Amino acid sequence: MQRETLKVEGMSCGHCVSSVEGAVKKLGNAEAKVDLAGKSVTVEFDASKVSLSAIKEAIEDQGYDVV
């Protein structure tokens, strides 16, 4: 499993947390942990099954900016 921490702008509440974590989980072979205070998302994923770019896209599709 690979682990990356992404800076994400626009998250501010519990709904944001569940939106981001849910979107990443739907990809399969990936989990996300949101840190609202740190404006970051730590993702753990199987790089042979899901790409980091797909994870970033899933987060951005929820309306947040991966910077």
Side-chain angles (χ1 to χ4, degrees):
M1 293 292 265
Q2 184 172 336
R3 178 179 284 188
E4 297 284 337
T5 300
L6 307 170
K7 288 289 183 190
V8 180
E9 296 290 329
M11 302 181 300
S12 61
C13 65
H15 176 70
C16 300
V17 172
S18 43
S19 291
V20 170
E21 290 179 351
V24 172
K25 188 172 187 144
K26 283 182 187 175
L27 295 173
N29 300 299
E31 294 288 330
K33 179 93 173 152
V34 174
D35 175 6
L36 285 178
K39 296 184 179 179
S40 66
V41 178
T42 300
V43 292
E44 212 170 280
F45 59 101
D46 182 342
S48 68
K49 301 197 173 160
V50 64
S51 68
L52 185 58
S53 61
I55 292 170
K56 289 179 180 179
E57 185 176 324
I59 294 169
E60 289 175 342
D61 286 347
Q62 296 302 306
Y64 307 103
D65 295 317
V66 179
V67 293

